Amino acid sequence: MENPRSEEPVTALPGVSYVMPVLNDVTHVGAAVQSLLDQDYAGAFDVVIAVGPSIDGTNELVEEMGRADRRITVVDNVAGTTPSGLNIAIRASRHPIVIRVDAHSVLPTSYARLAVETLERTGADNVGGIMDARGTSAFERAVARAYGSRIGLGGTPHHVGGAEGPADTVYLGVFRRSALERVGLFDERIKRGQDWELNERIRSSGGIVWFTPELRVTYRPRSTLSRLGRQFFSTGLWRGELSRLIAGSRNLRYFAPPVLVLGVTLGVLLGVIGLVLWSAGSRIAPLFLLGWIPPVAYAALVAVSAVLVARRDGAHAVAWFLVVLPCIHFCWGIGFVLGYLSLASNIAAQTYRKGSGSSDRRTG
């Protein structure tokens, strides 16, 4: 498959640049960086870590790694956000292939080699694969099961796998630098969902985003319920914002969690009213008591899913799944509703008009 917009051909062994934004990830960043140094790719490479103002010792750790290995460059990300860190790292790197890495991810040793081979074979501007969530504690294992199940995150290929081919977006991403420069890097105003939005611009400019299940990245989930809730509330908030502003992002599966939240909430309210009316002897009470159907049905769905999905990880993981799944659905759904209804966004709607020129959307 040819990509007419990929100006820069991929040679047999082009250099690759790994770019990683890091903020308060002292627990995971060491393993993530080591997985880059252990790659079996024979071409030249560099690692650029954009570290935000962390308070858990992350700054000191990555600076020590930079002093120990001259292939690692550490740059400051004063803003501390993911898109700003990615852009700073990309600008500080030097090779024609840019590999995005997450501090919670661990790349298999063949990742860069397979990714570059896929770029060459397909002519794509960006290739990526599966986010293979793996946990260590019972809570993390429950989160990982939710990530990898259709009931958890909607069953997208980069979570559950699928056939190789063009895609709307992929996990992380291995980019041609020329494609990133063509569309203007990541939009730093978008704190979550920046991958999808960047890939939308790549596709709108005539480029190809390619999914391949051969690329499988180990991902370490959030370790506490509060961190998981904040993660999905923020993700839902920005997904709602993007769905409001970009017609192409309005996939029906993104509306499932907010519809679920509204349905269950309304059902509980009607059900409670029905109980009050029933206690007062009202004849219309049964009509309101029907409101309990959605929340009871959802509770049953969660319970069945916990047994079917998480039972391989033990009883504790099953118990946590009963909490994790509603946390993901409700935090994401509530965030989506607030983001979709927002009237005070600092992102101009015309910026995201589908088909508009992307070369004028440069980030600071």
Side-chain angles (χ1 to χ4, degrees), residues 35-177:
S35 75
L36 310 182
L37 303 178
D38 291 341
Q39 292 291 299
D40 63 12
Y41 185 68
F45 75 91
D46 61 351
V47 178
V48 183
I49 305 173
V51 59
S54 303
I55 59 173
D56 66 346
T58 297
N59 297 66
E60 293 78 7
L61 176 59
V62 297
E63 287 168 3
E64 180 181 341
M65 288 190 290
R67 289 191 295 268
D69 193 321
R70 60 185 180 84
R71 296 170 297 182
I72 300 174
T73 300
V74 179
V75 292
D76 289 328
N77 175 21
V78 177
T81 65
T82 297
S84 65
L86 285 168
N87 286 345
I88 290 169
I90 291 168
R91 295 187 182 108
S93 64
R94 58 191 178 89
H95 292 299
I97 304 299
V98 176
I99 300 180
R100 182 191 166 172
V101 189
D102 189 280
H104 281 249
S105 64
V106 177
L107 303 187
T109 56
S110 61
Y111 186 84
R113 174 172 53 83
L114 292 175
V116 173
E117 289 174 0
T118 304
L119 280 174
E120 182 178 36
R121 174 170 54 86
T122 63
D125 280 326
N126 179 23
V127 302
I130 297 174
M131 185 182 75
D132 185 16
R134 300 288 184 90
T136 54
S137 67
F139 174 81
E140 291 174 358
R141 290 195 296 272
V143 176
R145 290 297 182 187
Y147 268 63
S149 67
R150 296 187 182 279
I151 188 64
L153 297 184
T156 54
H158 60 275
H159 288 301
V160 300
E164 182 180 43
D168 290 343
T169 191
V170 291
Y171 179 55
L172 298 179
V174 178
F175 302 85
R176 296 177 188 267
R177 182 180 295 274

Side-chain angles (χ1 to χ4, degrees), residues 345-364:
S345 173
N346 62 354
I347 306 174
Q350 61 268 24
T351 302
Y352 300 103
R353 187 177 299 125
K354 188 173 180 61
S356 62
S358 47
S359 59
D360 61 346
R361 276 182 276 177
R362 308 291 175 183
T363 52

Side-chain angles (χ1 to χ4, degrees), residues 307-323:
V307 174
L308 295 179
V309 174
R311 61 182 177 181
R312 287 171 290 179
D313 297 317
H316 287 100
V318 171
W320 270 120
F321 196 89
L322 294 171
V323 179

Side-chain angles (χ1 to χ4, degrees), residues 76-322:
D76 289 328
N77 175 21
V78 177
T81 65
T82 297
S84 65
L86 285 168
N87 286 345
I88 290 169
I90 291 168
R91 295 187 182 108
S93 64
R94 58 191 178 89
H95 292 299
I97 304 299
V98 176
I99 300 180
R100 182 191 166 172
V101 189
D102 189 280
H104 281 249
S105 64
V106 177
L107 303 187
T109 56
S110 61
Y111 186 84
R113 174 172 53 83
L114 292 175
V116 173
E117 289 174 0
T118 304
L119 280 174
E120 182 178 36
R121 174 170 54 86
T122 63
D125 280 326
N126 179 23
V127 302
I130 297 174
M131 185 182 75
D132 185 16
R134 300 288 184 90
T136 54
S137 67
F139 174 81
E140 291 174 358
R141 290 195 296 272
V143 176
R145 290 297 182 187
Y147 268 63
S149 67
R150 296 187 182 279
I151 188 64
L153 297 184
T156 54
H158 60 275
H159 288 301
V160 300
E164 182 180 43
D168 290 343
T169 191
V170 291
Y171 179 55
L172 298 179
V174 178
F175 302 85
R176 296 177 188 267
R177 182 180 295 274
S178 58
L180 290 173
E181 293 173 345
R182 184 177 75 239
V183 300
L185 305 189
F186 289 87
D187 193 318
E188 296 182 16
R189 297 166 296 180
I190 301 176
K191 303 304 184 289
R192 295 273 185 176
Q194 64 275 349
D195 303 274
W196 187 96
E197 192 275 337
L198 173 66
N199 285 317
E200 165 72 3
R201 281 186 280 134
I202 289 175
R203 293 186 296 108
S204 295
S205 69
I208 297 172
V209 178
W210 190 267
F211 168 80
T212 174
E214 286 189 332
L215 297 178
R216 182 179 289 270
V217 180
T218 299
Y219 173 81
R220 302 302 184 192
R222 297 298 190 272
S223 58
T224 65
L225 190 63
S226 61
R227 290 180 179 178
L228 183 71
R230 288 196 298 270
Q231 176 191 14
F232 275 93
F233 177 79
S234 179
T235 301
L237 187 72
W238 281 96
R239 173 54 64 183
E241 188 75 55
L242 292 174
S243 294
R244 182 170 63 88
L245 297 176
I246 311 176
S249 69
R250 295 168 192 167
N251 191 299
L252 288 179
R253 69 170 173 268
Y254 296 137
F255 289 85
V259 169
L260 170 69
V261 169
L262 294 174
V264 170
T265 302
L266 179 61
V268 170
L269 290 176
L270 292 176
V272 169
I273 293 174
L275 290 175
V276 173
L277 293 175
W278 178 73
S279 64
S282 173
R283 294 182 178 179
I284 63 172
L287 294 177
F288 286 88
L289 289 173
L290 292 176
W292 286 111
I293 293 177
V296 170
Y298 177 68
L301 177 64
V302 171
V304 172
S305 300
V307 174
L308 295 179
V309 174
R311 61 182 177 181
R312 287 171 290 179
D313 297 317
H316 287 100
V318 171
W320 270 120
F321 196 89
L322 294 171

